[in-house]
């Protein structure tokens, strides 16, 4: 027996302990260097050191929530940004269209949004799939030049097959098409519709393949964006995935609700810029903006100033978080919020409560029936924190509403794919838009007010009346809220 073999036989426990220590220290050091929140850094370092290998594995799966900036093509992003900035002039004074309090918010969004605020946009609110899907399908059927489609979920169901068939017909007409579906969202139906699209000759791919190959609503680094860009000048965006559950004509009385937006004008070019960025990251194919974008025809009135705000675990980290803080700071009368997953962090809770204590009426509408049970438990555990600050919370009694809507003073709107939870604000790639227009803000406000009329108000007394075991369950689930 060799000396080395004898040494390993006698000292392997010591070597294993040493390797475990070195590995855990290396992963702990990475966590300490990457986490900006001291509480998250301490928690992860503790888990990694106290649970060798298991803690490190959990961190590698759930703790890494950033993509290094140099992984994205900054050269290509610069070209697209230069085009968007120069193709259409930036909008001037927003005080005339929304109010003087929004001038400082516009300055903030100039800094964090990266896209210019551009006028001349005609924006139409579409209510659920029965309005949004026909409008989107009509745009695809009328396309002559190009189509770019991105979605978190694109189900292989009756609604999804309508889109697949429309895309096939467009491809047969010679339209240039790209489709990007999130790798986790693509697994929400079987078989994945990606295979059908590819069989029909459509260039389709997945965004950020999940290394574990799992379908998980709680996986990190997901693309939650919803974009449709057609013929260089028409766009759709919002919070709606492609699935039949959003169509009352298909799902019947069980249908879910959501909102989407049809966009004519310069803002559509910003949608394409975001799509092109994501497409190149996922496929390494560079889409030349001059081949895809056309000069936008003058849309019908009203024409309003708006811009896209993208956020994600990259160089756009916390963009939406900062915009919402700014909006709450300038509010003077009324803030309306509708969110399916309402789990704001302590900074946002503080801003909401500060607004309410300044005399601003803050109304928050959440679902009475939620499709994610754990999130609902955590939300319920946290509601007392905004109620104590003077905010009003309403549980919508009808079917699940997936809308993400935020308005200030009936003059400014923030809508899109972002939920008010840690996953949207820190872990997902999201796309929203801010709109300085009293007409759209009032329309959204009326929609939220209609939901309030069909809601039950949540109070501290109603929360305290819950059985103790349910309150305890909710608080335990709430402890995991940063990763729900």
């Amino acid at each position: 027996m060799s000396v080395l073999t004898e040494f390993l036989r006698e000292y392997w426990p010591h070597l294993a302990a040493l390797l475990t220590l070195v590995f855990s220290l290396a992963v702990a050091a990475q966590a300490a260097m990457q986490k900006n929140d001291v509480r998250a850094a301490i928690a992860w370092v503790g888990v990694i050191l106290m649970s060798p290998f298991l803690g490190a594995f959990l961190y590698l799966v759930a703790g890494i929530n950033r993509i290094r900036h140099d992984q994205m093509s900054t050269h290509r992003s610069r070209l697209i940004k230069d085009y968007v900035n120069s193709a259409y002039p930036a909008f001037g004074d927003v005080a005339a269209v929304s109010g003087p309090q929004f001038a400082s918010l516009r300055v903030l969004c100039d800094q964090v949004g990266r896209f210019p605020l551009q006028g001349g946009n005609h924006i139409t609110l579409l209510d659920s799939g029965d309005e949004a899907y026909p409008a989107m399908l009509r745009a695809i059927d009328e396309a002559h030049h190009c189509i770019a489609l991105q979605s978190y979920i694109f189900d292989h169901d009756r609604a999804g097959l309508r889109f697949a068939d429309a895309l096939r017909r467009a491809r047969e007409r010679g339209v240039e098409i790209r489709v990007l579906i999130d790798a986790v969202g693509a697994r929400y139906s079987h078989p994945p519709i990606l295979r059908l699209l590819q069989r029909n000759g459509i260039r389709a791919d997945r965004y950020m393949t999940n290394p574990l190959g799992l379908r998980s609503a709680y996986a990190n680094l997901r693309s939650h964006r919803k974009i449709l860009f057609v013929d260089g000048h028409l766009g759709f965006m919002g919070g709606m995935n492609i699935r039949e559950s959003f169509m009352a004509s298909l799902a019947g009385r069980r249908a879910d609700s959501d909102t989407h937006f049809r966009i004519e004008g310069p803002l559509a070019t910003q949608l394409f810029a975001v799509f092109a960025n994501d497409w190149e990251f996922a496929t390494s194919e560079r889409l030349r903006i001059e081949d895809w974008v056309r000069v936008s025809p003058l849309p019908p009135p009203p024409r309003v100033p708006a811009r896209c705000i993208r956020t994600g675990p990259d160089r756009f980290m916390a963009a939406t978080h900062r915009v919402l803080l700014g909006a709450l700071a300038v509010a003077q009368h009324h803030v309306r919020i509708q969110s399916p997953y309402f789990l704001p962090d302590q900074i946002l809770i503080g801003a909401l409560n500060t607004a309410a204590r300044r005399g601003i009426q803050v109304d928050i509408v959440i679902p009475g029936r939620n499709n994610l049970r754990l999130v609902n438990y955590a939300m319920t555990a946290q509601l007392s924190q905004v109620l104590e600050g003077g905010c009003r919370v309403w549980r919508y009694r009808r079917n699940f509403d997936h809308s993400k809507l935020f308005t200030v003073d009936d003059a400014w709107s923030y809508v899109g794919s972002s939920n008010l939870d840690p996953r949207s604000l820190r872990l997902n790639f999201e796309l929203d838009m801010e709109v300085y227009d009293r007409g759209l803000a009032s329309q959204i406000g009326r929609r939220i007010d209609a939901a309030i009329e069909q809601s039950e108000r949540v109070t501290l007394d109603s929360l305290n009346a819950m059985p103790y075991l349910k309150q305890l369950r909710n608080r335990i689930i709430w402890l995991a809220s940063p990763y729900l």
Side-chain angles (χ1 to χ4, degrees):
M1 184 180 298
S2 68
V3 175
L4 178 60
T5 303
E6 183 65 26
F7 176 82
L8 292 176
R9 172 175 292 183
E10 184 172 354
Y11 292 102
W12 73 263
H14 305 81
L15 292 174
L18 179 61
L19 290 174
T20 299
L21 177 62
V22 171
F23 177 69
S24 297
L25 287 174
V27 178
Q30 201 275 347
M33 291 295 292
Q34 294 298 318
K35 295 297 178 183
N36 292 325
D37 187 328
V38 65
R39 293 167 297 180
I42 291 173
W44 276 117
V45 169
V47 168
I48 292 166
L49 294 182
M50 297 300 293
S51 302
F53 285 116
L54 175 60
F57 173 77
L58 290 175
Y59 175 75
L60 294 175
V61 171
I64 297 177
N65 55 16
R66 297 290 294 274
I67 291 181
R68 290 176 54 193
H69 297 174
D70 57 6
Q71 285 184 267
M72 312 294 277
S73 175
T74 57
H75 174 67
R76 183 261 301 111
S77 295
R78 199 160 50 244
L79 291 176
I80 291 176
K81 182 181 178 182
D82 289 345
Y83 180 91
V84 171
N85 287 354
S86 61
Y88 305 96
F91 188 80
D93 183 16
V94 299
V97 295
S98 287
Q101 70 268 39
F102 295 102
S104 61
L105 180 59
R106 184 258 173 85
V107 173
L108 169 67
C109 294
D110 284 342
Q111 299 297 316
V112 304
R114 307 294 179 94
F115 286 124
L117 182 69
Q118 293 173 327
N121 300 287
H122 184 78
I123 300 174
T124 304
L125 186 152
L126 303 170
D127 194 352
S128 296
D130 292 286
E131 286 189 6
Y133 294 161
M136 296 166 72
L137 290 168
R138 184 164 54 251
I140 293 173
D141 283 334
E142 294 174 356
H144 299 290
H145 172 55
C146 62
I147 298 169
L149 173 62
Q150 181 173 356
S151 185
Y152 173 59
I153 298 173
F154 188 156
D155 272 349
H156 194 145
D157 58 12
R158 288 175 290 181
L161 289 174
R162 292 180 185 180
F163 277 86
D165 198 43
L167 290 168
R168 175 189 58 77
R169 294 193 300 269
R171 181 73 186 94
E172 291 172 351
R173 296 195 306 270
V175 177
E176 193 74 15
I177 301 175
R178 300 292 187 277
V179 177
L180 187 61
I181 309 171
D182 183 77
V184 171
R187 295 176 176 270
Y188 274 63
S189 62
H190 186 79
I193 205 162
L194 193 72
R195 301 175 189 173
L196 175 62
L197 297 174
Q198 292 170 339
R199 283 201 305 268
N200 289 336
I202 296 167
R203 293 287 301 277
D205 216 319
R206 293 177 296 172
Y207 186 88
M208 288 283 288
T209 302
N210 184 355
L212 299 179
L214 300 177
R215 170 193 177 273
S216 170
Y218 305 111
N220 288 354
L221 306 178
R222 307 308 346 140
S223 175
H224 199 235
R225 293 165 176 161
K226 291 90 176 177
I227 297 170
L228 175 61
F229 176 77
V230 177
D231 276 359
H233 62 84
L234 176 62
F236 295 81
M237 64 87 67
M240 201 178 318
N241 295 295
I242 299 176
R243 53 192 341 187
E244 66 179 52
S245 62
F246 292 113
M247 298 187 69
S249 57
L250 294 179
R253 290 181 296 177
R254 299 174 301 168
D256 300 328
S257 299
D258 207 335
T259 48
H260 223 56
F261 297 86
R262 184 181 188 272
I263 300 164
E264 300 173 77
L267 191 64
T269 305
Q270 297 183 14
L271 297 181
F272 174 75
V274 176
F275 176 88
N277 182 84
D278 290 348
W279 179 262
E280 183 175 354
F281 176 70
T283 69
S284 299
E285 181 192 13
R286 178 170 298 178
L287 303 179
R288 299 200 321 160
I289 197 163
E290 57 269 27
D291 293 338
W292 283 72
V293 174
R294 297 291 184 267
V295 176
S296 174
L298 189 66
R303 305 182 191 101
V304 302
R307 87 172 101 212
C308 287
I309 304 287
R310 49 183 162 171
T311 189
D314 56 5
R315 64 187 179 280
F316 302 107
M317 186 82 164
T320 286
H321 192 271
R322 292 167 183 152
V323 171
L324 297 181
L325 290 177
L328 291 168
V330 305
Q332 294 185 357
H333 305 291
H334 198 171
V335 172
R336 293 179 176 88
I337 299 169
Q338 185 167 11
S339 178
Y341 315 122
F342 182 75
L343 277 170
D345 61 15
Q346 291 301 307
I347 297 174
L348 270 176
I349 289 175
L352 288 163
N353 290 342
T354 298
R357 288 172 177 142
R358 287 195 292 116
I360 311 303
Q361 182 173 317
V362 179
D363 284 305
I364 302 164
V365 179
I366 59 176
R369 304 175 186 175
N370 205 301
N371 65 332
L372 296 179
R373 184 176 298 179
L374 296 182
V375 174
N376 186 55
Y377 293 159
M379 285 168 53
T380 303
Q382 189 171 280
L383 290 180
S384 61
Q385 297 183 39
V386 292
L387 292 173
E388 290 169 351
C391 301
R392 305 196 306 180
V393 178
W394 309 86
R395 279 199 181 271
Y396 186 51
R397 287 194 296 259
R398 302 189 67 181
N399 289 0
F400 178 61
D401 197 321
H402 193 245
S403 300
K404 306 100 164 45
L405 306 170
F406 191 113
T407 70
V408 174
D409 294 347
D410 288 321
W412 178 87
S413 308
Y414 195 79
V415 299
S417 68
S418 291
N419 301 301
L420 288 183
D421 66 357
R423 185 154 298 280
S424 278
L425 297 173
R426 293 175 52 245
L427 303 177
N428 286 345
F429 295 92
E430 305 281 1
L431 181 63
D432 304 295
M433 67 175 175
E434 61 155 354
V435 185
Y436 296 81
D437 176 54
R438 293 184 180 276
L440 181 64
S442 296
Q443 186 181 8
I444 293 172
R446 289 192 297 271
R447 188 185 193 279
I448 295 176
D449 288 344
I452 289 175
E453 291 178 358
Q454 302 180 71
S455 298
E456 177 182 355
R457 187 168 179 178
V458 181
T459 65
L460 291 172
D461 288 340
S462 66
L463 291 177
N464 292 331
M466 294 178 61
Y468 173 78
L469 290 179
K470 288 188 176 181
Q471 293 186 48
L472 178 62
R473 174 203 63 192
N474 294 346
R475 292 294 286 187
I476 291 173
I477 301 300
W478 173 77
L479 295 176
S481 60
Y483 294 95
L484 289 180

